[in-house]
Amino acid sequence: MPAAGKDTVPAKRLPTLEDVAARAGVSRATASRVVNADPRVGNLARTAVQEAIEQLGYRPNRNARSLVRPEADSIAVVVPEAEQTVFSDPFFAALLAAITQSLADSPVQVLLAMGQPGNSQKIERYLRGGYTDGAIVVSHHKDDHIWQVLHATKLPAVYVGRPYAGDVGIPYVDVDNRAGGTLAAEHLISTGRRRIGTITGPLDMAASEDRMLGWQQALQQAGLAADLMEHGDFTASSGALAMQRLLNRVPELDGLFVASDLMAVSAIHELQAAGRRVPEEVAVVGFDNTQAAQLTRPPLTTVVNPVGALASTAVEMLLKLLGGSQVEERVILGTELIQRASA
Amino acid sequence: MPAAGKDTVPAKRLPTLEDVAARAGVSRATASRVVNADPRVGNLARTAVQEAIEQLGYRPNRNARSLVRPEADSIAVVVPEAEQTVFSDPFFAALLAAITQSLADSPVQVLLAMGQPGNSQKIERYLRGGYTDGAIVVSHHKDDHIWQVLHATKLPAVYVGRPYAGDVGIPYVDVDNRAGGTLAAEHLISTGRRRIGTITGPLDMAASEDRMLGWQQALQQAGLAADLMEHGDFTASSGALAMQRLLNRVPELDGLFVASDLMAVSAIHELQAAGRRVPEEVAVVGFDNTQAAQLTRPPLTTVVNPVGALASTAVEMLLKLLGGSQVEERVILGTELIQRASA
DNA sequence: CTGTTAGCGCGTTCAT
DNA sequence: ATGAACGCGCTAACAG
């Protein structure tokens, strides 16, 4: 095999608008008009150009186009640094799949901008610079400041998950975490549980806070104590530890709402290790309805987190924004409880 | 609020090379040379330009640059249509995280090209067109034809996972699936099991085939029957069904290698539902070492699939390719068995 | 309706 | 060592 390096064979040059025009016997301007569906062009010329495009397999050069136009035909999916660890698996993959799916028919490309420890400038530089028409930001953390860049740039953007910072003037779509927490607690109450605890996510995330508040509200409304609370960070091990602490404090616990399925599975193992039967002695409700909920024993009763709908709604909103339409400041998706065997 | 639409405020124009040159009191050509580290420029002019760049916060315009240069400073992560469903969660997220991580210090952007049912042209168009410097393809399926495009384009590319089509002239990195299968079978044999079955993945994937072959080889070498085999498709439900079939055929089964953790968890549930104790009566070994392996009961003995290493190796190889260096046609990463309680 | 012209921001000869 | 001039592919005035 010959030495490596730049190819010497000048990869056959792609057809340009000039080529199309020449072949169709018109000027570049006319060809451009056809490509951009400008009505001011004769039928004869139009079909000639269209044929030429077909025969040459012409595609407009995106770079040249966005050099002279404001559009870039690309959107960025931004995952701030702080989320890296949290969005381990299921949520993120589903999100990306749904996003690309929603964009399948458009020429828009998806650019992935994941934050790195100590490197948010790379993302910011990209967001400025005008290489992208809009952004979908996946963020729930307190210390995310991407929104400031978006704000300064006036770049159309949509958050998936309520920004913790509050109303930052950027629309978002989220699941009704608070209602979900209430749903879980009410289910536990309705099955006769009276000493109901919760394992929350980290409280610097809006979702954690909301789920906890929903749980709290339901208990208070039922006249039950709402102080049986321990905090995790959405990882499995943190769920186990929180469970140990809670069980230590409240041996008579008979109901439990865990803010994520992953932590819930760990918590159930911990309960079983401590000799508690689930659901007979302690009923457990999770949150997310990930695959883990179905695969664990007993199968987990849990609150649905509709990731697919979140993603497609975000795309829909962003596309509206790009089209110049208004969108609601916030879209909150409903949720429901799926009853399995754990509660 | 006023009617929506294009902003009227002409978003402050970004500084151009022309601006830099003017401020430094030189010509655009000299400024360009400084930016591109061309040695042929005087020290005086150099520092002047550097200062101007600093003060103006100048960044080269990628579009303009790649209009006139072959590079695009972007790589594409390609997920062919067929993989969409299979690479549900853990693998994919880890892959993307590792890829962006490896690219953190370079100006290279990551473009996500996921296949859609009945739409591979969008990806192909992008790959041609020269908008990207290289590609990382995540594929194991038989009916992936992206490699033909890559081949025709001479676009530098690396596969993650051995292309099923065989040696297509594109380097790849993969885990040693065959050795993994052998490892699993040998472990079962060493613990005294004699009726050892397997649940495979879909056989139109290289990984499935290799894991099966490794299992087969170990059994034959030990003089054991290697025909206790059922096929799944890597989903949980397919694992359960395969387990039922196998148990029906071979009630005296005492050892089992399942080609993925997800299917293994389902298989274990199925075994338990049939009254078999794991591992006492049937020992089970999985593959992947995903989170599910640790969270199920009994915890799963499994073969490690080093996703992070796969991803970073792929990036490393691609960067070498982009730099004009040669890389090995294939890199096979070693694996190991993690013993937990299921076998 | 159509062609001519200018310019987007940049890299690169070719002179000097 | 530096600058003037050209062209990358395309869109958008401005004429006709």
Side-chain angles (χ1 to χ4, degrees):
Chain A
M1 202 172 281
K6 311 297 175 188
D7 258 9
T8 45
V9 188
K12 211 166 28 212
R13 201 176 56 79
L14 275 57
T16 95
L17 193 55
E18 186 78 53
D19 300 334
V20 172
R23 185 169 182 105
V26 298
S27 81
R28 224 174 46 226
T30 303
S32 174
R33 291 189 184 103
V34 173
V35 171
N36 295 291
D38 190 317
R40 313 171 306 177
V41 56
N43 283 328
L44 223 74
R46 160 161 292 114
T47 52
V49 171
Q50 283 167 339
E51 261 177 41
I53 289 178
E54 185 72 24
Q55 291 166 1
L56 267 45
Y58 167 80
R59 299 290 155 189
N61 181 315
R62 302 168 81 103
N63 289 322
R65 177 175 277 181
S66 53
L67 193 59
V68 73
R69 273 190 173 179
E71 295 93 36
D73 277 348
S74 112
I75 69 155
V77 175
V78 179
V79 185
E81 153 187 357
E83 310 298 331
Q84 279 278 54
T85 54
V86 174
F87 283 108
S88 41
D89 309 355
F91 187 87
F92 189 58
L95 192 71
L96 288 176
I99 289 176
T100 56
Q101 178 111 357
S102 310
L103 260 29
D105 296 330
S106 80
V108 175
Q109 297 288 350
V110 176
L111 191 112
L112 193 61
M114 293 181 90
Q116 297 303 323
N119 170 10
S120 58
Q121 318 93 331
K122 186 176 173 183
I123 293 184
E124 295 184 15
R125 272 219 298 271
Y126 192 86
L127 259 28
R128 303 183 148 99
Y131 303 118
T132 193
D133 300 328
I136 292 178
V137 185
V138 185
S139 174
H140 300 82
H141 263 90
K142 193 175 192 168
D143 55 344
D144 151 40
H145 295 309
I146 293 287
W147 64 268
Q148 298 174 326
V149 179
L150 297 171
H151 217 272
T153 320
K154 296 192 195 307
L155 191 68
V158 175
Y159 267 76
V160 175
R162 173 166 75 82
Y164 188 91
D167 189 355
V168 296
I170 298 175
Y172 66 86
V173 53
D174 205 350
V175 63
D176 195 337
N177 288 299
R178 183 153 185 164
T182 298
L183 223 49
E186 285 176 346
H187 177 72
L188 290 168
I189 295 169
S190 77
T191 59
R193 312 291 169 162
R194 287 300 172 263
R195 303 287 292 165
I196 302 175
T198 188
I199 295 176
T200 74
L203 290 190
D204 64 341
M205 295 178 63
S208 302
E209 192 177 60
D210 291 351
R211 289 170 198 180
M212 185 269 284
L213 289 174
W215 164 87
Q216 198 171 47
Q217 176 184 326
L219 291 196
Q220 288 171 345
Q221 199 145 353
L224 298 174
D227 59 340
L228 312 182
M229 185 188 313
E230 291 290 340
H231 308 301
D233 63 5
F234 283 144
T235 65
S237 58
S238 79
L241 292 174
M243 187 72 256
Q244 289 174 5
R245 291 196 302 270
L246 190 58
L247 216 43
N248 242 19
R249 254 180 60 199
V250 197
E252 70 277 22
L253 189 80
D254 65 2
L256 178 65
F257 167 50
V258 189
S260 84
D261 286 351
L262 193 57
M263 292 196 296
V265 171
S266 292
I268 288 179
H269 290 156
E270 213 56 45
L271 282 169
Q272 291 168 337
R276 303 293 207 287
R277 284 175 307 151
V278 177
E280 293 81 358
E281 295 176 282
V282 184
V284 179
V285 177
F287 201 111
D288 279 345
N289 193 34
T290 57
Q291 200 155 227
Q294 306 173 45
L295 291 180
T296 197
R297 288 297 117 102
L300 202 57
T301 295
T302 192
V303 179
V304 175
N305 192 356
V307 282
L310 284 172
S312 55
T313 304
V315 170
E316 206 175 302
M317 290 170 73
L318 185 55
L319 289 182
K320 272 190 195 166
L321 244 35
L322 295 183
S325 313
Q326 295 278 41
V327 303
E328 298 134 287
E329 252 325 289
R330 85 197 86 220
V331 175
I332 306 296
L333 266 37
T335 184
E336 59 177 323
L337 183 125
I338 292 196
Q339 184 167 3
R340 297 202 179 88
S342 72
Chain B
M1 199 173 284
K6 311 297 174 187
D7 257 11
T8 45
V9 188
K12 210 168 28 207
R13 202 177 55 79
L14 275 57
T16 88
L17 194 55
E18 186 78 52
D19 299 334
V20 172
R23 186 168 180 106
V26 299
S27 81
R28 223 176 47 226
T30 303
S32 174
R33 290 187 185 104
V34 173
V35 171
N36 296 291
D38 189 319
R40 312 171 307 178
V41 54
N43 282 329
L44 222 74
R46 162 162 291 115
T47 51
V49 171
Q50 283 167 340
E51 259 177 45
I53 289 178
E54 185 71 23
Q55 291 165 3
L56 267 47
Y58 167 80
R59 300 288 158 190
N61 181 313
R62 302 169 80 105
N63 289 323
R65 177 173 276 185
S66 53
L67 193 59
V68 72
R69 272 188 172 181
E71 294 94 37
D73 278 348
S74 110
I75 69 156
V77 174
V78 178
V79 184
E81 152 187 359
E83 311 298 332
Q84 280 278 56
T85 53
V86 175
F87 283 106
S88 42
D89 310 357
F91 187 87
F92 190 58
L95 193 70
L96 288 176
I99 288 175
T100 55
Q101 177 110 357
S102 310
L103 259 31
D105 295 330
S106 81
V108 174
Q109 297 289 350
V110 176
L111 192 112
L112 193 61
M114 291 180 90
Q116 297 303 324
N119 169 11
S120 58
Q121 318 94 331
K122 186 175 172 186
I123 293 184
E124 295 184 14
R125 272 219 297 273
Y126 193 86
L127 260 27
R128 302 184 149 100
Y131 303 118
T132 192
D133 299 327
I136 292 178
V137 186
V138 185
S139 174
H140 300 82
H141 262 92
K142 192 175 193 167
D143 56 343
D144 150 41
H145 295 308
I146 294 287
W147 65 268
Q148 298 174 326
V149 179
L150 297 171
H151 217 273
T153 319
K154 296 193 194 309
L155 191 67
V158 174
Y159 267 77
V160 175
R162 173 166 75 84
Y164 189 91
D167 189 355
V168 296
I170 298 176
Y172 66 86
V173 54
D174 205 350
V175 64
D176 195 336
N177 287 298
R178 182 152 186 168
T182 299
L183 223 48
E186 284 177 347
H187 176 73
L188 289 168
I189 295 169
S190 77
T191 59
R193 312 291 169 163
R194 287 300 172 264
R195 303 288 293 164
I196 301 174
T198 189
I199 295 176
T200 74
L203 289 191
D204 64 340
M205 294 178 63
S208 301
E209 192 177 61
D210 291 350
R211 290 170 197 178
M212 185 271 282
L213 289 174
W215 164 88
Q216 198 171 49
Q217 177 184 325
L219 291 196
Q220 287 171 345
Q221 198 145 356
L224 298 175
D227 59 340
L228 313 183
M229 186 188 314
E230 290 290 340
H231 308 301
D233 63 4
F234 283 143
T235 65
S237 59
S238 79
L241 292 175
M243 188 72 255
Q244 289 173 6
R245 292 196 302 271
L246 190 57
L247 216 43
N248 242 19
R249 253 180 62 199
V250 197
E252 70 277 21
L253 190 79
D254 65 2
L256 178 66
F257 166 50
V258 188
S260 84
D261 287 351
L262 193 57
M263 292 196 298
V265 171
S266 293
I268 288 179
H269 290 155
E270 213 56 46
L271 283 169
Q272 291 169 337
R276 303 293 206 288
R277 284 174 308 150
V278 177
E280 293 81 358
E281 295 175 282
V282 184
V284 178
V285 177
F287 201 112
D288 279 345
N289 193 33
T290 57
Q291 201 154 227
Q294 306 172 44
L295 291 179
T296 196
R297 288 299 118 104
L300 201 57
T301 295
T302 192
V303 179
V304 175
N305 193 356
V307 282
L310 283 172
S312 55
T313 304
V315 170
E316 207 175 303
M317 291 170 73
L318 185 56
L319 290 182
K320 272 190 195 166
L321 243 37
L322 296 182
S325 313
Q326 294 278 41
V327 303
E328 296 135 287
E329 251 327 287
R330 86 198 85 220
V331 175
I332 307 296
L333 266 36
T335 184
E336 60 178 322
L337 183 125
I338 293 197
Q339 184 167 4
R340 296 203 179 88
S342 71

